[in-house]
Amino acid sequence: MSDVLFAWGGVHPRTLIRRAVCQVMREHDGLAALIGARIWPNRMEHWFRSELPAAGVYTVSEQRVESDTRPEPQERIISLAVELLGGELEAVDDTLDALCLQTERAVLRLDAIGRAMGAIVDASLPLPLVHGTHPADTLLSITHTGTELGIVTDGAREYGAAALNFDLEYQWPTVPPELADFLLAHTDWYVHPGDDRVDMISQVNFDQE
């Protein structure tokens, strides 16, 4: 894990996915017209009227994908919640429905989230990522699994709230070890294992630059 986090600027894939989802939500014209830039990659709730409506994006859980193959594929599924906090209760259902519609349209774009992940990592690194899996290539699927609607209270005030749940499947990134430059490759071939007799030898010499 440490190699991956180092290669991605010290950012866990879950953190990167949350930030990327927030970014594509802020850049979506339909959602931005309703909520502006009041979208945060955490569970913080904003109660001031001037900060509503607002959204928080956070991870609920993460599971590894089970498989009968060996070695096991490094695929994981995270349950991601987008919590929307609307204004006070006048026409609250219509407001929440409009927010939910635009949120689904913004988030259900796999390519856009992948590009945002790549841009965030590239901007944090002094040099482009040349070894291992690029963040833009790790997302495999995204599915909207359901929406919960309700009311939250702040003292005497009541607000409408909605939580949209998404499952995102991604492949744990890999960073292959770097191989030092070498000039000679030598291989012994044992056609009939067990007799300890080398049947063939191959040798490759590389030019020194």
Side-chain angles (χ1 to χ4, degrees):
M1 180 184 298
S2 59
D3 289 341
V4 172
L5 299 186
F6 176 78
W8 281 15
V11 178
H12 193 284
R14 288 197 302 269
T15 304
L16 189 58
I17 290 173
R18 287 196 303 272
R19 293 177 181 176
V21 169
C22 288
Q23 181 170 313
V24 299
M25 289 174 63
R26 295 189 190 103
E27 294 174 352
H28 187 268
D29 291 339
L31 186 59
L34 299 175
I35 206 169
R38 297 182 296 274
I39 302 167
W40 290 269
N42 53 51
R43 303 167 187 265
M44 183 179 297
E45 294 181 342
H46 298 263
W47 295 100
F48 296 108
R49 290 183 180 180
S50 60
E51 296 178 338
L52 297 178
V57 178
Y58 55 90
T59 306
V60 178
S61 64
E62 179 179 79
Q63 303 291 331
R64 293 188 61 175
V65 176
E66 295 183 1
S67 174
D68 294 331
T69 62
R70 293 294 183 272
E72 291 186 355
Q74 295 296 311
E75 295 175 7
R76 306 185 182 191
I77 297 178
I78 61 173
S79 296
L80 190 81
V82 178
E83 188 170 320
L84 302 168
L85 191 61
E88 296 187 69
L89 293 184
E90 184 176 354
V92 64
D93 291 299
D94 292 346
T95 299
L96 290 178
D97 287 345
L99 288 170
C100 290
L101 175 63
Q102 296 303 326
T103 298
E104 287 187 45
R105 289 177 174 176
V107 174
L108 291 175
R109 296 181 299 154
L110 196 67
D111 291 343
I113 297 176
R115 288 193 301 270
M117 291 171 64
I120 292 170
V121 169
D122 290 342
S124 67
L125 298 177
L127 295 173
L129 181 64
V130 295
H131 295 289
T133 309
H134 194 274
D137 300 324
T138 60
L139 283 186
L140 302 176
S141 67
I142 179 171
T143 306
H144 175 227
T145 60
T147 300
E148 300 175 6
L149 304 168
I151 301 295
V152 295
T153 59
D154 175 32
R157 296 177 180 174
E158 294 184 322
Y159 302 95
L164 289 82
N165 300 302
F166 299 89
D167 280 352
L168 289 90
E169 184 174 355
Y170 74 96
Q171 189 166 22
W172 184 261
T174 58
V175 179
E178 294 187 15
L179 184 63
D181 294 336
F182 62 97
L183 302 178
L184 175 66
H186 179 98
T187 306
D188 292 340
W189 299 82
Y190 295 86
V191 180
H192 298 288
D195 59 6
D196 293 326
R197 182 169 59 89
V198 177
D199 297 281
M200 183 173 60
I201 297 175
S202 62
Q203 182 171 304
V204 180
N205 291 282
F206 296 89
D207 295 331
Q208 185 173 4
E209 296 182 356

